[in-house]
Amino acid sequence: MNHLDVVRLLGLDAPVPAQESGSEEWSKDSGYGGGQVIPEDFELLVQAMQKGMIAGSVVLTRPRFAVRSLEDFTEDAAPRIASMEASLRNRDHDLPLPFFPNPGGMVPWGRTARDGVLLWDTTDPDTANWTTVLTESDFQVWLDLPFSASEFTARVLMARPEGIPAFETMEEYESGTFWNVYEDIRETATALAIRDIGAVEEIVTRVRSIGVPGIRQYAEELLDRAVSESFDALPEDYLAVMKEFPGGVIAGVRVFPVAQDGSSGADGVASPAAPVLRWLDQDRLFLQWGEVEGRAAGWLAGKGTPQDWRVAYIEPDGSALTCLEDQTFATFLQRRLRGNNSLF
């Protein structure tokens, strides 16, 4: 998918210059060089649209002035980047990727209606291959999405709930859809405030709080394919979470996307698959579903049903395995969401 798919879904005839009179932003003589600084697809998408809210959930970054470098492009986002870094540092959590100007650092390209942040993963030197990272307002949940900005936006449009406009000016949004969004936020806050909320419900509620259409559909697509092709049974709490979560980081724990073993990305490099099988001995099996603090995280799966599997982790050098006898996949993540980073 590209910017033309978004234009078609929005009912526009063709890409047109930004509607802000006197603005130089995104013009071809502004120094972008057709995708040399940021993806050309994104440049064309912003040229095609006026400023506003897409599908009640996404706003594209529009610098106030013409920019000629990523330093210029990220200037307005600097306070938000500092806020994210401070929030994670206070929790002793690492960023899933560094921020620009570090090599391969993340670059914000939009925001969500619920105060989340959309970023590019700039690991690939070719801007056309930059993919999307999405985090929610509390920076506890990070999603890895193999989509360009245009494909992400197209998926948002196609998955929007019935009755949500494809596009609204900010004035229209704040007099209409805005109120539905904040009612959802209040409901989410109420659910999370319940002291004895279940582990799965708390994780799923946090993922849903991102409020971007299409996330669940993509997660279900990954899960259905993996389960049908690779595994007869997996723990119910894992299946319930991964039906909503397409892979990324939850409270400092990297959870691999559920993918068919050996699947490859556009660059031909194999993607991490979850779970990954590792035999320990004749009776015990370690199934890795992620990483935490450099350790392989998974289940110690031996005798018994998947509901009996408990979280275990292997040291980076493979020297030791520790099993957390009282922690399931969901309770382990919930504990970290609530500020307990202990691995014991």
Side-chain angles (χ1 to χ4, degrees), residues 245-273:
F245 181 73
V249 174
I250 299 177
V253 179
R254 176 161 290 282
V255 180
F256 295 156
V258 182
Q260 181 182 358
D261 289 344
S263 63
S264 300
D267 57 1
V269 177
S271 301

Side-chain angles (χ1 to χ4, degrees), residues 96-98 102-106 120-126 129-131 267:
L97 289 168
N102 292 297
M106 295 184 290
W120 280 303
D121 174 348
T122 69
T123 303
D124 195 299
D126 186 344
N129 296 327
W130 288 0
T131 55
D267 57 1

Side-chain angles (χ1 to χ4, degrees), residues 217-246:
Q217 290 91 326
Y218 176 58
E220 286 184 332
E221 176 186 316
L222 292 178
L223 184 63
D224 290 346
R225 183 168 66 242
V227 170
S228 65
E229 297 178 0
S230 302
F231 295 96
D232 294 328
L234 289 167
E236 291 179 1
D237 62 338
Y238 175 80
L239 295 173
V241 170
M242 299 309 290
K243 189 175 290 187
E244 309 271 351
F245 181 73

Side-chain angles (χ1 to χ4, degrees), residues 1-9 41-42 44-45 148-154:
M1 296 182 188
N2 58 35
H3 70 286
L4 293 176
D5 295 294
V6 178
V7 167
R8 174 180 54 80
L9 289 165
D41 208 45
F42 184 78
L44 295 172
L45 179 60
S148 68
S150 289
E151 180 170 358
F152 176 85
T153 305

Side-chain angles (χ1 to χ4, degrees), residues 8 30 116 159 314:
R8 174 180 54 80
S30 65
I314 298 176

Side-chain angles (χ1 to χ4, degrees), residues 188-223:
T188 297
T190 299
L192 292 175
I194 299 172
R195 189 174 184 85
D196 59 350
I197 187 173
V200 171
E201 184 181 356
E202 181 168 350
I203 296 166
V204 167
T205 298
R206 283 185 175 272
V207 174
R208 289 178 179 172
S209 74
I210 294 171
V212 175
I215 298 300
R216 181 184 178 118
Q217 290 91 326
Y218 176 58
E220 286 184 332
E221 176 186 316
L222 292 178
L223 184 63

Side-chain angles (χ1 to χ4, degrees), residues 299 309-312 324-333 335:
W299 298 287
W309 296 353
R310 293 297 180 263
V311 168
L324 307 181
E325 299 289 350
D326 62 338
Q327 296 297 319
T328 67
F329 173 78
T331 61
F332 178 69
L333 294 178
R335 186 173 66 168

